[in-house]
Amino acid sequence: MTEPNPPAPRARRRPVTMREVASAAGVSVATVSLVINDKKTARIGEATRQRVWAAIRDLGYRPNAMAKNLVQGDSRFIGLVADAIATTPFAGQIIHGAQDEAWKHGYVLLVANTEGNDDAEAEAIAMMLEHKVRGIVYSTWYHRPIEVPGSLAETDFVLVNCFADAPGVRAVVPDEVSGGRAAAELLLARGHRRIAFVNTTTPSPAREGRLRGHREALAAAGIAFDPALVLDARPDQAGGYAVTGDVLARDVTAVCCHNDRVAMGLYDGLRDRGLRVPGDVAVVGFDNQEVIAAHLRPALSTVALPHYDLGAVGLRVLLGLDDPGDGRVALACPPVERDSVAAPSAARPAAG
Amino acid sequence: MTEPNPPAPRARRRPVTMREVASAAGVSVATVSLVINDKKTARIGEATRQRVWAAIRDLGYRPNAMAKNLVQGDSRFIGLVADAIATTPFAGQIIHGAQDEAWKHGYVLLVANTEGNDDAEAEAIAMMLEHKVRGIVYSTWYHRPIEVPGSLAETDFVLVNCFADAPGVRAVVPDEVSGGRAAAELLLARGHRRIAFVNTTTPSPAREGRLRGHREALAAAGIAFDPALVLDARPDQAGGYAVTGDVLARDVTAVCCHNDRVAMGLYDGLRDRGLRVPGDVAVVGFDNQEVIAAHLRPALSTVALPHYDLGAVGLRVLLGLDDPGDGRVALACPPVERDSVAAPSAARPAAG
C-alpha cells in the first residue's frame, strides 16, 4: 500500500476536446456547444449543424453529459436504492429490470446498496438528491411494509417490493395471492386433494397473501379448507426439515412450502424417512431461487417472484409511463413447473 | 398504461435554492457559489464564508453536485461494470465492497449491469465516459481472462475478478492457489491422507490454481500426489451427483469439491448409497455460496471467494491508494469451517 497519490496515467488515449471539434468544423466552441445541446432557438444554419455533427463523429468526441444536464436544467439520473444486493440475487434482478427500462428512455441509474443500514441509506438518498435525480426507486429484497424515509419526499419516488400506508405513495409489489393460487393449482391439476400448507412464522404480506390464494384455489376446486393442514415453520431449510414429521402426520399427498429453502429442508426430512419426491409426496416451493429450485433432486416445481418486472415497472411508474392511479401495482407470480409434482400414489405413505 | 406524461408532483418539498441561501447570508449568489466550490483564490473573507455555510446548514441547502463537478473540472463518479448481478450474489458483493470504498473517499459509483451482453457493455462504458468518470472498475462474476474492451482505454481502469495479458493492465483477482491449499488443509488437519479432488471440466484459473494449491498442501504434509484421485466433473449439482461412484471407487476418506454446487450433488449421491457426511466421507466445497453451504445437512465446510474485498481493493487500486506495481493483486481465499469434516472413520465405506 502507498499514500493516496494519483496513479500514473496508463496508456490512456487523450479524450477529444470541444475545441478540436470546433477547429475541425471551422466554427467557434460556443457554436459546438449550442449544437450539442440542441438549442433550437440559437440561430445556427442547418449546414453548420451538420458540419459540427460530422466532426463529432469523425473525431469520436464524447459530449460531457454533466454539462449537457446543466444546460438542459434537469439530470438524466434516476436513483435506485436496494437493501441487499450483496446477500441475495433478488435485488440484482430488480436492478436489472430497472436499468434496462432506464436506459431505454435515456436515463442512467444511480444504484446504491444499503444492506439494510440506516446511515448508508441516508447517505445514498442525499447523494441522489445532490445529483438532482429525476426521482428515486426505493426497493427492498423481500415484500414488506415500510416507513418512507423523510428525505425521499424531496423528490419523486416509487416503492418497489415494499409499500407504505400513506396517501399518494405509489408502490409496485408482487401479487402474493396470485402466487399462492398458482402454487396450489400445480398440485390440484395433478389430482391432489389433501395438501399441507407450510406457512412462515414471520408475519408478512407473503404469509397472509399466499395462504389466501391457496384457499381460493381450494375453493375453486370444490375442496373444503381444513385449518389443520396449515403448519407454521421457520422460513428456511432448518424449518422445513423440522416440520416434516408434522406434515406427514396430517396424512397428505402434497405440500405447498412457504419458499424454496423450506422445500429444500423438507426434501431432507422426507429422505431421512425413506420417502420419495414426487412418488410418495409432491412438493411445491415458492421464490424460484434458481440455485436451489433448479438443482434439487428432483428439480423443484415452484412459483417465481417477478423481481425483474418489479424493477422495470417501478421505473415506468416513476417516469409516468405506467399509471397505477394513486395506489399499488401488483404483479402476478407465475408458476415454474419442474419435477417435484406427480399424481398422488395409491399407496399412502406411513405417517411421521 | 398511459402515454409518457410527467406525473403530477406528489407532496414534494420544494428544494432550497442558492438564491435563498444568498439572501439568508446577506451576500450575492455568486459569492455563495464561490464558497460552495471552495475557490481559495476568490477574495472572500473568513466571516463571510462562515455566514454562507451557516445559511446552507440552517436551510438544508443541497449543492448541485453536477454544477460542482463542472467547476472543479472532474467528476466524483467512478464506473463499475458487472456482468451478472441478476443471476448470482457474487457481483452484488463486489459492488458492495466497491461502493463502501468509493463513498469513503467521496466518490459515487455508477453501476452498470451487462448480464454478459456486448451491446449493454458498450452502452455502459459509453455512458460512464460521457459522465467523465474518474475511472472504471470492470468486473466479472467468475475469475477468468478477458479481452479488454477498447473503449476502456479512454479512461483509467482496473480489472476485478478477471485479468488480461496486456502490458500495464492492473487486475485484482482471487488467489486460487491459496484457496486450494486452504481446502485441503481443512481435511489434512483432521488426519485425512487419501483425498479425492473433484475438478471442473471447464478450463479456468480456478481449475489450475486450486489443484496446484491442493498439491502444495499434500506435499507440505508429506503425502505423495496420486493423479488417480483427481476426477473431472461438470461444475454443478448434476456433476457432483454423477461423479459419486467414481469418487467412492478410489477408496478415499474425503473429497475436495470444485465448488459448493458440486458438493451439494455429491451429498445426494452419497445419501443414495446410504453413506453419511462426515461420518463416512468428509466433504469440502468452494465458493461459500451461503444459500447452499450454510444450509446443507450437515452444513458445508468450504472456502470463501473474497468478492467484497475484490471490489474494495479494485476501487483502492483505481484511486492509487493501493499499488499493485504493474501487475496483479491476488487476494487470499479464507477457509470457512462448518460441519462436513470429521476425522476419518476406522471402518472404510464400501466402494461405489
Side-chain angles (χ1 to χ4, degrees), chain A residues 7 9 15 29 36 60-61 65 95 109 121 145 152 162 173 193 206 213 215 224 238 241 281 288 316 325 330 341 351:
Chain A
V29 170
I36 287 171
Y61 174 70
I95 293 169
L109 270 198
E121 178 177 292
L152 269 188
C162 53
V173 295
R193 312 270 303 167
R215 296 183 62 162
Y241 185 78
V281 182
N288 196 31
R316 293 181 59 82
V341 179

Side-chain angles (χ1 to χ4, degrees), chain A residues 17-289:
Chain A
T17 64
M18 199 182 278
R19 186 167 301 281
E20 287 168 313
V21 173
S23 154
V27 301
S28 71
V29 170
T31 300
V32 174
S33 170
L34 289 168
V35 170
I36 287 171
N37 290 302
D38 204 19
K39 284 279 175 223
K40 303 283 186 211
T41 48
R43 271 185 253 148
I44 300 172
E46 191 48 36
T48 306
R49 279 184 201 278
Q50 284 183 12
R51 226 162 51 235
V52 170
W53 282 117
I56 286 171
R57 264 194 313 277
D58 294 348
L59 297 174
Y61 174 70
R62 295 182 188 280
N64 184 329
M66 290 184 298
K68 219 169 140 180
N69 283 332
L70 271 186
V71 171
Q72 293 172 348
D74 72 65
S75 97
R76 301 300 286 178
F77 287 122
I78 288 174
L80 189 147
V81 177
D83 67 347
I85 82 168
T87 41
T88 78
F90 297 147
Q93 290 166 33
I94 292 173
I95 293 169
H96 188 25
Q99 176 183 294
D100 280 358
E101 198 67 28
W103 288 13
K104 201 182 293 172
H105 300 287
Y107 285 88
V108 171
L109 270 198
L110 283 181
V111 175
N113 170 48
T114 67
E115 292 301 315
N117 178 298
D118 283 345
D119 289 344
E121 178 177 292
E123 193 173 356
I125 295 173
M127 171 275 279
M128 290 169 181
L129 294 174
E130 279 179 21
H131 286 90
K132 309 289 178 202
V133 288
R134 165 73 183 72
I136 292 176
V137 172
Y138 181 96
S139 72
T140 53
W141 74 271
Y142 73 96
H143 182 189
R144 62 185 170 92
I146 63 157
E147 297 283 327
V148 177
S151 51
L152 269 188
E154 291 189 40
T155 185
D156 204 16
F157 68 93
V158 173
L159 305 184
V160 159
N161 212 22
C162 53
F163 57 92
D165 280 324
V169 171
R170 296 164 301 168
V172 183
V173 295
D175 184 346
E176 305 284 0
V177 179
S178 86
R181 222 163 32 221
E185 284 165 357
L186 287 174
L187 295 165
L188 294 166
R190 295 296 190 100
H192 292 272
R193 312 270 303 167
R194 207 168 155 76
I195 303 169
F197 186 90
V198 178
N199 213 342
T200 172
T201 46
T202 316
S204 69
R207 185 179 200 274
E208 316 307 324
R210 293 175 195 175
L211 179 56
R212 178 136 51 95
H214 182 77
R215 296 183 62 162
E216 287 180 12
L218 293 180
I223 298 172
F225 173 65
D226 178 356
L229 299 189
V230 178
L231 298 154
D232 282 352
R234 256 183 50 180
D236 60 13
Q237 284 96 324
Y241 185 78
V243 83
T244 310
D246 288 343
V247 165
L248 292 172
R250 263 70 178 173
D251 199 32
V252 297
T253 62
V255 190
C256 280
C257 296
H258 176 69
N259 63 25
D260 295 345
R261 299 166 68 199
V262 168
M264 182 175 169
L266 182 67
Y267 268 47
D268 283 342
L270 292 170
R271 205 151 23 188
D272 279 3
R273 291 164 174 81
L275 297 174
R276 294 264 161 188
V277 177
D280 297 318
V281 182
V283 177
V284 171
F286 208 108
D287 284 0
N288 196 31
Q289 196 162 0

Side-chain angles (χ1 to χ4, degrees), chain B residues 39-313:
Chain B
K39 284 278 176 225
K40 303 284 186 209
T41 50
R43 271 184 255 149
I44 299 172
E46 192 48 35
T48 306
R49 280 184 201 276
Q50 285 183 11
R51 228 164 47 237
V52 170
W53 282 117
I56 287 171
R57 266 195 311 276
D58 294 348
L59 297 173
Y61 173 70
R62 294 181 188 282
N64 183 328
M66 289 184 299
K68 219 170 139 182
N69 282 333
L70 271 187
V71 171
Q72 294 173 344
D74 72 65
S75 95
R76 298 302 286 180
F77 288 122
I78 288 173
L80 189 146
V81 176
D83 67 347
I85 84 168
T87 40
T88 77
F90 298 146
Q93 290 165 33
I94 292 173
I95 292 170
H96 188 25
Q99 176 183 293
D100 281 358
E101 199 65 28
W103 288 12
K104 200 181 295 175
H105 300 287
Y107 285 88
V108 170
L109 270 197
L110 284 180
V111 175
N113 171 46
T114 66
E115 293 301 314
N117 178 297
D118 284 345
D119 289 343
E121 177 176 294
E123 194 173 355
I125 295 174
M127 172 275 279
M128 290 168 182
L129 294 174
E130 278 180 22
H131 286 90
K132 309 289 179 202
V133 288
R134 166 72 183 72
I136 292 178
V137 172
Y138 181 97
S139 72
T140 53
W141 75 270
Y142 74 95
H143 184 188
R144 62 185 170 92
I146 62 158
E147 296 282 328
V148 177
S151 50
L152 269 189
E154 291 190 40
T155 184
D156 203 15
F157 68 93
V158 173
L159 305 184
V160 160
N161 213 21
C162 54
F163 57 92
D165 280 322
V169 171
R170 294 165 302 167
V172 183
V173 296
D175 183 345
E176 306 283 0
V177 179
S178 87
R181 221 161 33 219
E185 284 165 358
L186 287 174
L187 296 165
L188 294 166
R190 296 295 191 101
H192 292 273
R193 312 270 304 168
R194 207 169 154 75
I195 303 169
F197 186 89
V198 178
N199 214 343
T200 172
T201 47
T202 316
S204 68
R207 184 179 201 275
E208 315 308 324
R210 294 176 195 175
L211 179 56
R212 179 138 49 97
H214 182 77
R215 295 182 62 163
E216 287 180 9
L218 292 181
I223 298 172
F225 173 66
D226 179 356
L229 299 189
V230 178
L231 299 153
D232 283 353
R234 255 183 50 182
D236 60 14
Q237 284 94 326
Y241 185 78
V243 84
T244 309
D246 287 342
V247 165
L248 292 172
R250 261 71 178 173
D251 198 31
V252 296
T253 62
V255 190
C256 280
C257 296
H258 177 69
N259 63 25
D260 295 345
R261 299 166 69 198
V262 167
M264 183 175 169
L266 182 67
Y267 267 48
D268 284 343
L270 292 171
R271 206 152 22 193
D272 280 4
R273 290 164 174 82
L275 296 174
R276 296 264 161 186
V277 176
D280 296 319
V281 182
V283 178
V284 171
F286 209 109
D287 283 1
N288 196 30
Q289 196 163 1
E290 195 74 12
V291 71
I292 296 176
H295 297 286
L296 284 175
R297 298 187 61 82
L300 181 67
S301 295
T302 186
V303 172
L305 285 165
H307 289 112
Y308 178 94
D309 288 337
L310 289 171
V313 173

